[in-house]
Amino acid sequence: METLERLIEEHPFCHGMEKGYLELLVGCASNARFDAGQYVFRQGEEANHFYLVRHGKVAIEIHAQERGAIILQTVGEGDVIGWSWLVPPHRWMFDARAVEQTRAIALDGECLRRKCEEDHNLGYELLKRFAYLMAKRMEAARLQLINIHGPLD
Amino acid sequence: MALSTDSAMTSPVANPMIPVPWRVQKARRETRDTFTLTLRPANGEPLPAFAPGQFNMLYLFGVGEVAISISGDPADQENLVHTIRAVGTVTRPMQRLKRGAVLGVRGPFGSPWPVEEAEGNDVVIVAGGLGLAPLRPALYRLLAHRQQYGRIVLLYGARTPRDLLYQRSLDQWQTRSGIEVAYTVDAAAEDWRGNVGVVTTLISKARFDPVHTTAMICGPEVMMRYVIMELEKLGVTDENIFISMERNMKCAIGFCGHCQFGPTFVCKDGPVFRYDRIEPFFKLRGV
Ligand SMILES: Cc1cc2nc3c(=O)[nH]c(=O)nc-3n(C[C@H](O)[C@H](O)[C@H](O)COP(=O)(O)OP(=O)(O)OC[C@H]3O[C@@H](n4cnc5c(N)ncnc54)[C@H](O)[C@@H]3O)c2cc1C
Ligand code: FES
């Protein structure tokens, strides 16, 4: 348990988090490992976890019938995968596939939702951190969308 | 107001308005729309020295003249190297030039990257698309004097894997040269094993000391704006941020006013500017 707590504390997502909250997170956490090519989750599945990535690389992708899988974004060390656990209907919107061997801490979304309902301060703390992440992702996605490198031929 | 970075300016050739003939030694395709020309003097004249960040005016006889940054090694005494994207009237026919063809060259012009002033600092280079070309001479210079710098970080973003410039060099720099290299593309198919996402997402993951960092940025202006914001957030000050600007050019020596940017001329006060000195104009629309 102690090492899991240390790993969570060291992850950038949790920097500066109060000890009490870290302990609550540890209660919902487990280690996870994905081999290259393995799916962390697939679109449409129930979103029961989110992941603090420790090493490796995961591609967030969307599958288009005509074009195969299109990678929207890759995430790696220090990043977080997934907020669908937080937002109803709690289903994954995209596929997540390990591009290389990846180690992460999996946090059980159901367990966390319950704790957040019991302790709204924890809920607010987590929401603040996820809101920041979402804003960053949206900014990056918008830059991707405007195609700053000019129009395709 | 002196806006150029002041050291290492080299003087242009005798009459800066008269193109000197240079011969294409090698023409190399880089990506679907980008190519690199290696030039040698057609009449045996010595190669004029240039500083990283400077540009030449390349004249395609009978067609027209374009401003193109020098993308080769400043220590190379034999070859003048330019990497060019074929976009229009001049650069498209230029793409068809073969070994032996002759071009007119005027230059070098403009202000350099602050490679000497950066000694003792960490250096963060952020490039978008073709923006890596004007930064490559700076990288060569940094690598040739590696021990004079702290950490060196190169962050590079392109549209797709096929649009990444100098991919072999990127991989070599990544594995053997004591610099941290990360590159990313905006979109990729399933078989791509690298990063996907805009170049700004690489900044917070790079290791450097923001307080003692010189940043050099070149790419589309929107990209540069967001890169600057990220760097500022981490604590890099505007006096230590340098960007390279592009504006249409004609004379390249401060006469015609074509390249005006606020109160400055990009051809002689730039193209490399210290950010705090042009910040007010950089933020204005349509300047
Ligand atoms: C200081 C400086 C350094 C430069 N360095 C390089 C370099 O290293 N390599 C390089 O390829 N270019 C560089 N450029 C840009 C280059 O000068 C122009 O791409 C070139 O003048 C286009 O000329 P053209 O006659 O082929 O195209 P034009 O016929 O003038 O233009 C055709 C079309 O291309 C578009 N276009 C023009 N310029 C650009 C541009 N810069 N980017 C995208 N689209 C454009 C025009 O809007 C137009 O739609 C630099 C410019 C400056 C000012
Ligand atoms: S190009 Fe003529 S003033 Fe700059």
Side-chain angles (χ1 to χ4, degrees):
Chain A
M1 251 340 183
E2 205 184 81
T3 45
L4 204 51
E5 182 167 343
R6 190 175 48 77
L7 292 178
I8 291 177
E9 193 176 0
E10 280 170 3
H11 195 281
F13 178 77
C14 299
H15 277 176
M17 199 179 266
E18 270 179 37
K19 196 139 183 66
Y21 295 149
L22 286 171
E23 278 162 15
L24 287 172
L25 290 192
V26 174
C28 299
S30 58
N31 275 306
R33 199 194 86 169
F34 304 94
D35 293 326
Q38 192 180 342
Y39 280 86
V40 179
F41 51 76
R42 284 189 186 260
Q43 185 190 355
E45 287 174 359
E46 245 179 86
N48 289 326
H49 290 88
F50 75 93
Y51 300 88
L52 306 178
V53 181
R54 293 176 47 222
H55 302 289
K57 187 184 289 170
V58 173
I60 310 297
E61 42 188 42
I62 193 161
H63 199 276
Q65 202 55 42
E66 332 71 59
R67 290 169 59 189
I70 301 160
I71 306 177
L72 303 170
Q73 177 200 11
T74 49
V75 292
E77 185 175 333
D79 287 328
V80 177
I81 311 175
W83 51 70
S84 298
W85 68 276
L86 195 59
V87 189
H90 308 304
R91 295 205 174 266
W92 295 117
M93 300 297 290
F94 303 105
D95 295 339
R97 175 179 54 88
V99 179
E100 49 194 61
Q101 194 187 74
T102 300
R103 288 176 195 282
I105 296 159
L107 285 133
D108 182 328
E110 226 173 301
C111 164
L112 273 180
R113 285 199 299 265
R114 205 172 46 245
K115 289 190 181 179
C116 289
E117 288 301 340
E118 284 163 11
D119 179 347
H120 286 182
N121 287 340
L122 169 69
Y124 181 55
E125 183 65 35
L126 279 180
L127 268 183
K128 269 195 296 189
R129 287 168 193 258
F130 270 99
Y132 176 78
L133 267 186
M134 289 172 179
K136 296 289 297 173
R137 290 277 164 85
M138 192 153 89
E139 182 187 301
R142 281 178 171 163
L143 283 178
Q144 254 169 306
L145 202 67
I146 60 166
N147 194 4
I148 51 174
H149 299 295
L152 284 164
D153 302 328
Chain B
M1 179 163 48
L3 284 170
S4 54
T5 50
D6 27 34
S7 76
M9 294 287 284
T10 58
S11 49
V13 284
N15 185 339
M17 287 309 284
I18 299 184
V20 174
W22 286 65
R23 200 174 292 285
V24 175
Q25 178 69 18
K26 202 162 89 183
R28 181 193 148 89
R29 184 188 147 106
E30 299 284 355
T31 68
R32 57 193 151 178
D33 61 0
T34 306
F35 57 101
T36 294
L37 296 180
T38 302
L39 306 175
R40 294 212 178 144
N43 46 16
E45 283 190 33
L47 201 83
F50 76 92
Q54 289 194 298
F55 67 94
N56 282 317
M57 296 300 287
L58 301 188
Y59 181 46
L60 187 60
F61 294 108
V63 184
E65 200 179 35
V66 285
I68 303 291
S69 305
I70 306 171
S71 67
D73 186 344
D76 185 343
Q77 306 281 323
E78 257 187 324
N79 304 298
L80 188 56
V81 180
H82 293 91
T83 301
I84 304 161
R85 175 173 292 154
V87 292
T89 316
V90 180
T91 49
R92 284 219 169 103
M94 235 174 221
Q95 193 177 21
R96 295 193 287 272
L97 293 180
K98 299 265 182 321
R99 183 188 160 98
V102 173
L103 276 177
V105 176
R106 294 195 289 131
F109 298 117
S111 58
W113 296 112
V115 285
E116 283 159 28
E117 296 89 324
E119 285 178 7
N121 264 2
D122 289 355
V123 179
V124 176
I125 289 181
V126 191
L130 190 58
L132 186 57
L135 282 162
R136 191 168 66 161
L139 260 170
Y140 284 130
R141 166 51 164 88
L142 300 179
L143 291 175
H145 299 80
R146 179 66 193 87
Q147 66 290 355
Q148 264 134 39
Y149 302 93
R151 288 175 186 278
I152 300 177
V153 179
L154 167 63
L155 308 175
Y156 177 41
R159 183 168 31 194
T160 71
R162 289 201 302 157
D163 295 303
L164 285 165
L165 275 187
Y166 315 137
Q167 204 167 121
R168 233 187 11 213
S169 303
L170 285 175
D171 292 334
Q172 278 171 2
W173 290 329
Q174 194 163 37
T175 49
R176 316 199 224 116
S177 55
I179 67 176
E180 182 183 332
V181 179
Y183 52 91
T184 182
V185 297
D186 282 1
E190 194 175 3
D191 54 355
W192 170 246
R193 314 202 74 73
N195 297 311
V196 178
V198 282
V199 70
T200 48
T201 58
L202 301 176
I203 295 173
S204 61
K205 293 187 177 175
R207 278 171 305 164
F208 58 91
D209 175 358
V211 181
H212 300 287
T213 283
T214 303
M216 305 179 197
I217 316 169
C218 187
E221 281 186 30
V222 187
M223 167 237 151
M224 293 205 285
R225 233 184 297 146
Y226 282 87
V227 167
I228 291 167
M229 283 195 261
E230 276 305 302
L231 290 170
E232 286 173 335
K233 239 186 276 171
L234 293 174
V236 182
T237 55
D238 290 351
E239 306 90 77
N240 286 322
I241 298 177
F242 294 79
I243 62 175
S244 183
M245 297 292 299
E246 272 190 21
R247 286 293 180 271
N248 282 338
M249 283 191 187
K250 211 157 194 153
C251 70
I253 53 174
F255 277 168
C256 70
H258 257 75
C259 66
Q260 192 158 2
F261 173 60
T264 77
F265 291 150
V266 171
C267 68
K268 68 177 182 57
D269 303 319
V272 175
F273 291 97
R274 208 174 89 175
Y275 182 60
D276 61 325
R277 291 172 173 165
I278 52 158
E279 191 218 336
F281 321 111
F282 192 67
K283 286 185 172 159
L284 289 179
R285 267 130 245 250
V287 175

